[in-house]
Amino acid sequence: MAPAQAHPRSAPSASEEADLVARLRGGDERAFEALVERHYATMLAVARGYVRTRAVAEEVVQEAWLGVLNGIDRFEGRSSLKTWIMRIVVNIAITRGERETRTIPFSAFAPEADEPAVDPDRFRDESDGFPGHWRAYPGSWASLPEDTLLVRETLDVVKRAIEELPAAQRIVVTMRDVAGCSAEEVCETLDVSEGNQRVLLHRARSRVRSALERHLDG
Amino acid sequence: MAESADHLSCQEVVELVTEYLDESLPAEDASLFEQHLNFCEGCVWYVDQLRTTVETVGEIREEQIPPEAKERLLGAFRDWRRS
Amino acid sequence: MIAYKFLKLDGTSVFTGFRWPIEELSINTWIEAQVDPCRSGIHVCGTEHLPLWAGQTLYELELKGEIREDSGKLIASRARLTRRIEAWEESVRDRYTRMCADRAHELARSASPPLEQWEAVVEPSVREGPALLGFIAARIAEELDGPSAYTAERARQSVWLVDELGLET
């Protein structure tokens, strides 16, 4: 009933992927270049969640591409090409991260403590009649001037908010909402349950919304 | 016998938004969710804010691979192709 | 002015938890509150609003003082319960819920192609009760024929309730 959200960067079709794989195996440099350009940013974001510095993340990505080339003949197409590539990144990143004693323990992908989407103070409580109801309604962004949300400044606020997220939330929202990965792709890549993935996404989006709200209302 | 529903509170609604937008709420919860939106302008605006947030995040231009890194990779590709 | 209000079985308000004096209807205690829609005041139904709020038990009230009409409800500064609408009991509630569910199915199937996603919602929602099913039926009508169809469906629901319960309009 809710309209599905089409991401601006939707996934390639299965036949497009099969074509790329064939061309890669055939040594087509253009195909490799296209693949690199398509996935570089997401691979970097994923690696960045597991290792200490950006420089190390870049090395992980370089190593991952070697892994892709060395493994492409054995790629069976059971998962999507993208997911297969991302799993290589994760595996290398974890190995690297462990060596540098900085990995996200897998428990970080299982959200424990409660993190309400909205500060409970913004809702009325038992003493206030209408418990659970907004104290004051949130603003209507629909009435903002049309390009407010697209200007550089606003995008910077959003980027910064994502940077400041806890690592697990950052990876999930980057994969889902920046890179347009599907829920299945995220779950397969990071080896998390759909439920956990959704909780992380929920919390990430809630935090980013709060940051946007502070910027727009402040 | 059907017990009448407790209508959802706003505080409950804000926790369900991601599932709702993902279309993974069970059918009757999705109805309860929409029913609440029908009556509560504040939550309509909140859901809209969330949607807008997701759209704005989607506008972030993914970073391009730096030229030196790309050159290195193409070099690795040519080595691989040769072997 | 006469109005109606649905309360939980224990006589409390669905949203605020306010405990109405249902044991002592004969004493006719006036309840007072400042009118501030959705925030304060006695929120009640005219007959046209009954389908929106259909709940467990139904009471008739007398209103005085400031009475404000808002979307889907009336808000009064002063009100008292006058009687319980005994006719609104379990089997009638179930029949009303079933009526709305059947309408929802009928409307969803009348579309071409049929509204499968909406249809799938109907039966699982039945256990949530009459208010939700009324909403679903009206929403499906709206999907088919726009906002005026939503209003028309709600009006049908209201007429059903008024007739069945013998209410004054």
Side-chain angles (χ1 to χ4, degrees):
Chain A
M1 277 153 25
Q5 306 220 233
H7 193 277
R9 292 169 203 120
S10 305
S13 68
S15 58
E16 276 180 285
E17 266 202 359
D19 183 62
L20 259 176
V21 171
R23 287 166 64 197
L24 215 58
R25 286 176 179 152
D28 182 345
E29 189 174 298
R30 288 260 77 77
F32 180 66
E33 203 178 338
L35 205 57
V36 166
E37 282 168 0
R38 183 180 292 164
H39 295 308
Y40 181 79
T42 310
M43 292 166 80
L44 195 62
V46 170
R48 190 68 190 78
Y50 291 87
V51 299
R52 194 188 295 273
T53 64
R54 192 210 154 88
V56 174
E58 285 175 343
E59 286 172 29
V60 168
V61 172
Q62 288 277 328
E63 231 183 287
W65 280 117
L66 293 180
V68 168
L69 290 174
N70 288 328
I72 194 67
D73 284 337
R74 281 173 280 126
F75 173 67
E76 289 173 33
R78 259 185 275 119
S79 65
S80 74
L81 182 61
K82 182 188 196 178
T83 304
W84 181 70
I85 293 173
M86 294 304 157
R87 281 251 28 119
I88 293 174
V89 174
V90 168
N91 289 331
I92 293 173
I94 289 176
T95 314
R96 228 15 226 280
E98 277 171 357
R99 246 189 283 144
E100 310 195 345
T101 66
R102 205 289 211 178
T103 327
I104 302 182
F106 282 110
S107 60
F109 283 111
E112 324 149 344
D114 259 343
E115 186 184 316
V118 175
D119 187 346
D121 269 348
R122 295 186 57 177
F123 301 100
R124 301 167 73 162
D125 57 27
E126 310 292 329
S127 65
D128 202 1
F130 279 126
H133 199 79
W134 291 100
R135 281 189 202 281
Y137 283 167
S140 164
W141 291 353
S143 53
L144 290 170
E146 212 169 272
D147 38 11
T148 310
L149 287 148
L150 297 178
V151 296
R152 171 69 162 271
E153 210 185 305
T154 312
L155 288 175
D156 283 347
V157 166
V158 168
K159 273 192 243 184
R160 216 177 319 133
I162 293 176
E163 270 301 304
E164 289 170 8
L165 293 173
Q169 290 182 21
R170 188 177 65 236
I171 301 183
V172 172
V173 77
T174 303
M175 289 186 77
R176 287 293 307 269
D177 292 345
V178 178
C181 297
S182 69
E184 298 73 45
E185 284 173 335
V186 173
C187 294
E188 276 185 61
T189 301
L190 303 177
D191 197 17
V192 295
S193 70
E194 198 178 331
N196 283 347
Q197 173 264 159
R198 196 175 308 113
V199 172
L200 289 167
L201 182 64
H202 178 70
R203 291 180 180 179
R205 285 176 174 175
S206 303
R207 290 200 193 198
V208 176
R209 185 210 66 88
S210 291
L212 250 184
E213 186 182 46
R214 279 192 299 273
H215 170 69
L216 294 172
D217 292 350
Chain B
M1 112 86 200
E3 275 284 338
S4 291
D6 280 340
H7 294 240
L8 293 179
S9 73
C10 305
Q11 204 167 10
E12 289 171 304
V13 164
V14 304
E15 294 304 340
L16 294 176
V17 179
T18 302
E19 280 176 273
Y20 175 73
L21 294 178
D22 235 6
E23 298 189 337
S24 54
L25 271 186
E28 64 275 24
D29 291 334
S31 309
L32 280 168
F33 187 93
E34 291 209 358
Q35 185 193 44
H36 181 95
L37 293 190
N38 207 48
F39 299 141
C40 180
E41 201 165 32
C43 286
V44 170
W45 289 341
Y46 181 82
V47 174
D48 184 62
Q49 280 190 8
L50 226 300
R51 272 207 187 97
T52 304
T53 301
V54 174
E55 279 166 19
T56 309
V57 171
E59 292 296 326
I60 292 175
R61 255 187 66 244
E62 291 190 287
E63 60 176 289
Q64 304 297 89
I65 178 169
E68 334 81 63
K70 188 195 245 188
E71 276 314 306
R72 236 182 312 152
L73 278 178
L74 290 177
F77 180 77
R78 291 162 194 152
D79 288 341
W80 170 78
R81 188 172 45 186
R82 261 184 296 246
S83 63
Chain C
M1 182 182 173
I2 301 277
Y4 301 94
K5 190 170 177 64
F6 289 98
L7 298 177
K8 289 184 163 173
L9 283 169
D10 62 1
T12 55
S13 258
V14 173
F15 291 96
T16 63
F18 177 80
R19 187 168 290 280
W20 284 82
I22 59 174
E23 308 301 329
E24 308 145 346
L25 289 183
S26 53
I27 301 178
N28 274 346
T29 319
W30 284 100
I31 306 294
E32 307 207 356
Q34 247 198 329
V35 171
D36 187 2
C38 297
R39 305 192 64 76
S40 163
I42 301 138
H43 292 61
V44 296
C45 298
T47 52
E48 69 273 31
H49 309 128
L50 290 170
L52 275 63
W53 307 105
Q56 291 175 351
T57 59
L58 182 59
Y59 288 82
E60 183 190 84
L61 300 93
E62 192 188 340
L63 307 181
K64 289 259 193 243
E66 186 191 346
I67 300 170
R68 221 187 286 186
E69 210 175 306
D70 197 41
S71 131
K73 54 195 177 284
L74 300 168
I75 308 115
S77 61
R78 218 167 167 244
R80 62 179 175 185
L81 300 179
T82 47
R83 64 182 178 114
R84 200 181 121 213
I85 309 296
E86 315 256 343
W88 179 248
E89 45 73 54
E90 192 176 320
S91 70
V92 172
R93 269 204 311 280
D94 287 351
R95 257 194 304 120
Y96 172 75
T97 306
R98 181 41 51 191
M99 183 279 288
C100 294
D102 289 347
R103 270 294 285 169
H105 282 302
E106 184 192 334
L107 288 163
R109 286 170 196 161
S110 75
S112 62
L115 300 175
E116 277 171 16
Q117 268 194 309
W118 270 109
E119 255 232 278
V121 153
V122 178
E123 291 309 316
S125 302
V126 165
R127 66 185 172 82
E128 297 292 344
L132 188 57
L133 263 302
F135 169 71
I136 291 170
R139 267 295 282 124
I140 296 177
E142 187 177 40
E143 281 293 307
L144 292 176
D145 290 312
S148 58
Y150 176 95
T151 312
E153 192 62 29
R154 288 301 203 177
R156 277 169 124 255
Q157 292 166 4
S158 166
V159 164
W160 192 102
L161 290 168
V162 165
D163 285 350
E164 181 68 35
L165 303 175
L167 304 178
E168 285 179 36
T169 35

